[in-house]
Amino acid sequence: MIEDTRTVDQSRLISGATGDWEVIIGLEVHAQVTSDAKLFSGASTAFGAEPNANVSLVDAAMPGMLPVINRFCVEQAVKTGLGLKAKINHRSVFDRKNYFYPDLPQGYQISQYKQPVVGEGHILLDMPNGEVVKVGIERLHLEQDAGKSLHDQHPTMSYVDLNRSGVALMEIVSKPDMRSADEAKAYVGKLRTILRYLGTCDGDMEKGNLRADVNVSVRRPGEPFGTRCEIKNVNSIRFMGQAIEYEARRQIGILEDGGSIDQETRLFDARKGETRSMRSKEEAHDYRYFPDPDLLPLEVEEAWITEIKASLPELPDEKKQRFMSDYGLNAYDAGVLVADRDMADYFEAVAKGRDSKLAVNWVTGDLAAHANARNTGVLELGISADHLGELIDLIQDGTISGKIAKDVLAIMVEEGGSPKAIVEQRGLVQVTDISALEAIIDQVIAANPGQVEQVKTKPKTIGWFVGQVMKQSGGKANPQAVNELLKTKLGVE
Ligand code: ADP
Ligand code: MG
C-alpha cells in the first residue's frame, strides 16, 4: 500500500475542462556508481573505450564464471544511502531478474528485489519560492547494467558492445510524493547534487550515467491515487519536465472524456515532445526473480556503516544551514550556492575575512550575469576567488566605487588580470581629493543657475547635482564626498 504523505496544494493543480486535477509523480533513478571496476568483476568501467575492450569472462557470462562482489561498490551504495538519510539494511539479497535480450549475455540481470541494501529515506527540495518540499525515498538497490546493441554499424547485422555489461548501478526509487514537473525537476537536480557531493555518481546525464523512469498519474484533489504510466529512460531534466506535462495532459484528456488509464510503459519522443506507448501491463515481463545461488546474502556490519558515516563530507542541506547561520545568507542565496560544491567552496574563499553580503552579491549577481551572458558557469569564467576578493577589498577601502568595480570586473572577465593592476593601469582610482572634486562642482554650479535656484526650495533635487558631478568625473568621484561638498556649497541641509 502506497502512503499519501502530502496535502493538496492548490497552486500546483492543473485545470482541465471539467475542473482541477492533481499530478502525482514518483521517480526511479538509475545512477551509475563511481567505481574503477564493475559490480561483480575486475573489468574497467572507463567511458569511451573501444567496443568490448572492457569485458571480463564474468561480464561475457562464460560458462562456469562466478561473480564476486566489489566491496567498493557496496561502500558507495551505503554512502549514498546515508546521504539520503536512509536506513541501511544489515542484510540484503541479490536476485536474478530473468529476461532475454541480445545485450544481456547471462540471460538475467543480477539485481536486488525484495531485500535492498538501503531502505527508506528522504530528499529535501529547495523550491525557487523558498518552500522546502520533502520527498520520501522508498529504497536504493544495487544492480548490474546491461550491454548495448549497435544497430548502425552494418547494413544487415546488429553488433553488441558489452563494455557496460556488469557496471554497477544504484536504482533509487522515490515515493509518489511529487506534485508537479517543477518538483520532479528539483528532485533530480537535488539528487544529482547529493551524489556529486558524495562522489558516488558523477551525475552526467549526457553519458547516461544518471537516467530516470518517470511514473505519472492524475487524480481529482482528495481522491485516491489513479493508475500510473511509466515513462522509460528519460535522460535530461528538461525532457523530463516536458514528458510529465505532456503525459499529465494526455491522461486528463482521457479521463475527462470518460475513459480510463491503462497502466503501461511509455517512451518520450523528444523531437515531437510527446510520449507514446511501448508496452501495456499485459505485455509486462514476468522476471521470475529468485535469489542468485552464486552469491551469498550481502552482510553490512554496523561498524562499517559507522566508519562510512564518519567519512561523509558536509552535505548540501547542512552546508545551506551553515551558510545561513554563519554568513547571514537568505535561504534562496544559500540554496543557489550549495547546489554546486565547487561554487560553495568558491563563495567561502571569497567571503573569508570579508563582508559576506558583498561576497554573495558579487558571486550570485554580477559574476553569475557574466556567466549567463556567455552561456557558461561562474567557475568557468576563470576569475579566481583571490581576484574577486581583491575587487571587493578595493570597494571596501574606498579605492573604487561599486560602479567602477562593475567595469573592472567586466575587464577581468574579458582580458584577465588582477583588479589592482587594472585600476592602477587605467587610472580608475576614486577621486576623494577635495580640490579636484571642488573644481568639478564649482563648474557644474556655475553652469546651472536655474537648478541652483530650485535646490533652495526643493533640497531633494541635490541628487541631480551629484549625478552631474559623477558624470563629469567619469564615475570616479567618491559619491559620499561629492554629496558632502555639494551640501555645503549649495547651503542645503
Ligand atoms: P513497481 O515495482 O511496479 O515498479 P512501485 O510500487 O515500486 O512499482 O513504484 C514504482 C514507482 O512508481 C515509484 O517511484 C512510485 O513512487 C511510483 N508510483 C507508484 N504509484 C504511483 C502513482 N499512482 N502515481 C505516480 N507514481 C506512482
Ligand atoms: Mg519499477
Side-chain angles (χ1 to χ4, degrees):
M1 196 45 215
I2 310 170
E3 236 185 307
D4 191 355
T5 60
R6 297 187 59 184
T7 49
V8 176
D9 178 343
Q10 298 296 329
S11 71
R12 287 179 169 81
L13 298 182
I14 297 184
S15 51
T18 61
D20 288 342
W21 296 88
E22 191 178 25
V23 191
I24 311 293
I25 303 151
L27 298 180
E28 297 163 273
V29 170
H30 285 94
Q32 181 176 325
V33 175
T34 299
S35 160
D36 291 340
K38 296 182 180 180
L39 184 54
F40 296 113
S41 85
S44 165
T45 60
F47 182 82
E50 281 290 298
N52 298 307
N54 298 333
V55 185
S56 75
L57 296 175
V58 175
D59 310 321
M62 289 299 164
M65 293 300 113
L66 290 173
V68 177
I69 185 86
N70 177 342
R71 185 183 165 91
F72 182 67
C73 291
V74 177
E75 178 174 330
Q76 292 286 63
V78 170
K79 205 178 222 180
T80 305
L82 293 171
L84 301 176
K85 319 288 181 204
K87 178 171 176 288
I88 309 301
N89 292 326
H90 289 131
R91 189 188 156 95
S92 60
V93 173
F94 285 103
D95 298 283
R96 289 187 180 178
K97 179 179 181 179
N98 299 280
Y99 65 98
F100 174 79
Y101 206 75
D103 65 15
L104 188 76
Q106 289 170 147
Y108 57 84
Q109 175 195 30
I110 305 178
S111 178
Q112 299 188 305
Y113 184 48
K114 292 229 164 89
Q115 299 184 62
V117 63
V118 176
E120 292 189 333
H122 68 259
I123 292 185
L124 300 178
L125 312 184
D126 312 272
M127 301 308 292
N129 63 359
E131 190 191 354
V132 175
V133 171
K134 186 174 180 175
V135 174
I137 299 292
E138 179 73 38
R139 58 187 276 156
L140 175 158
H141 66 251
L142 276 167
E143 63 184 29
Q144 304 174 294
D145 204 349
K148 197 165 117 192
S149 299
L150 308 171
H151 304 296
D152 55 358
Q153 307 283 311
H154 189 278
T156 58
M157 285 187 279
S158 284
Y159 289 163
V160 175
D161 175 8
L162 294 180
N163 281 347
R164 272 195 114 112
S165 167
V167 166
L169 300 178
M170 297 180 278
E171 177 166 336
I172 302 164
V173 182
S174 87
K175 304 207 175 210
D177 284 353
M178 286 157 275
R179 297 290 178 268
S180 67
D182 283 344
E183 287 187 357
K185 282 155 72 175
Y187 172 89
V188 174
K190 185 65 177 280
L191 175 59
R192 185 170 59 178
T193 298
I194 293 171
L195 294 169
R196 285 179 172 164
Y197 267 62
L198 293 166
T200 56
C201 168
D202 67 15
D204 192 333
M205 296 184 90
E206 266 167 35
K207 287 188 186 150
N209 295 350
L210 191 78
R211 44 196 200 259
D213 297 344
V214 186
N215 296 272
V216 179
S217 66
V218 299
R219 66 172 174 190
R220 298 288 191 188
E223 299 260 292
F225 286 136
T227 304
R228 70 188 153 102
C229 289
E230 177 176 359
I231 310 160
K232 274 282 174 204
N233 267 326
V234 183
N235 61 1
S236 103
I237 292 185
R238 193 163 60 88
F239 288 161
M240 184 180 68
Q242 291 172 6
I244 291 170
E245 306 223 340
Y246 176 87
E247 182 59 19
R249 287 269 164 218
R250 186 187 73 86
Q251 294 183 14
I252 291 170
I254 292 173
L255 293 170
E256 293 198 324
D257 285 347
S260 61
I261 304 300
D262 297 326
Q263 185 170 340
E264 58 182 359
T265 304
R266 301 179 68 84
L267 283 176
F268 179 65
D269 183 334
R271 217 164 30 83
K272 293 198 180 131
E274 57 188 46
T275 64
R276 62 165 182 271
S277 185
M278 186 175 138
R279 59 172 181 257
S280 70
K281 197 180 181 183
E282 287 71 44
E283 303 160 79
H285 301 293
D286 176 355
Y287 294 115
R288 295 179 187 269
Y289 281 98
F290 65 89
D292 190 316
D294 290 340
L295 288 158
L296 286 168
L298 175 63
E299 308 232 355
V300 176
E301 288 168 12
E302 190 59 38
W304 192 30
I305 299 174
T306 309
E307 212 177 287
I308 297 171
K309 207 178 243 167
S311 78
L312 292 184
E314 181 184 40
L315 289 165
D317 292 328
E318 286 79 28
K319 204 186 275 292
K320 182 179 165 191
Q321 287 309 320
R322 182 168 62 81
F323 278 15
M324 289 168 71
S325 58
D326 288 9
Y327 297 107
L329 302 188
N330 62 37
Y332 179 78
D333 284 342
V336 168
L337 291 174
V338 306
D340 178 345
R341 191 174 173 176
D342 292 334
M343 178 93 157
D345 289 346
Y346 183 86
F347 161 75
E348 286 209 273
V350 175
K352 196 163 184 235
R354 300 193 176 88
D355 179 344
S356 54
K357 273 270 167 316
L358 271 180
V360 71
N361 286 346
W362 280 92
V363 173
T364 61
D366 290 81
L367 216 49
H370 280 291
N372 283 344
R374 285 156 188 262
N375 221 347
T376 177
V378 162
L379 301 172
E380 280 72 50
L381 288 173
I383 308 282
S384 70
D386 281 349
H387 276 171
L388 187 63
E390 198 177 294
L391 183 71
I392 293 173
D393 290 343
L394 291 174
I395 306 168
Q396 291 227 279
D397 67 16
T399 308
I400 55 175
S401 65
K403 193 180 166 303
I404 291 287
K406 286 181 195 286
D407 300 341
V408 174
L409 182 68
I411 296 167
M412 288 161 72
V413 172
E414 280 297 325
E415 301 167 23
S418 101
K420 255 191 196 140
I422 293 169
V423 167
E424 274 163 27
Q425 281 158 14
R426 310 200 179 206
L428 298 173
V429 176
Q430 187 160 240
V431 182
T432 36
D433 173 7
I434 304 292
S435 58
L437 291 179
E438 271 187 326
I440 302 174
I441 288 172
D442 289 344
Q443 204 187 323
V444 171
I445 289 177
N448 298 286
Q451 298 283 346
V452 174
E453 269 314 303
Q454 193 187 25
V455 82
K456 290 191 174 131
T457 50
K458 289 189 192 155
K460 279 219 172 107
T461 56
I462 194 166
W464 181 85
F465 285 96
V466 178
Q468 290 300 308
V469 176
M470 291 306 292
K471 203 163 144 195
Q472 296 252 335
S473 74
K476 288 191 292 181
N478 178 329
Q480 226 165 333
V482 171
N483 222 327
E484 292 306 314
L485 284 170
L486 274 168
K487 277 185 183 163
T488 321
K489 285 193 183 274
L490 294 169
V492 171
E493 255 318 294

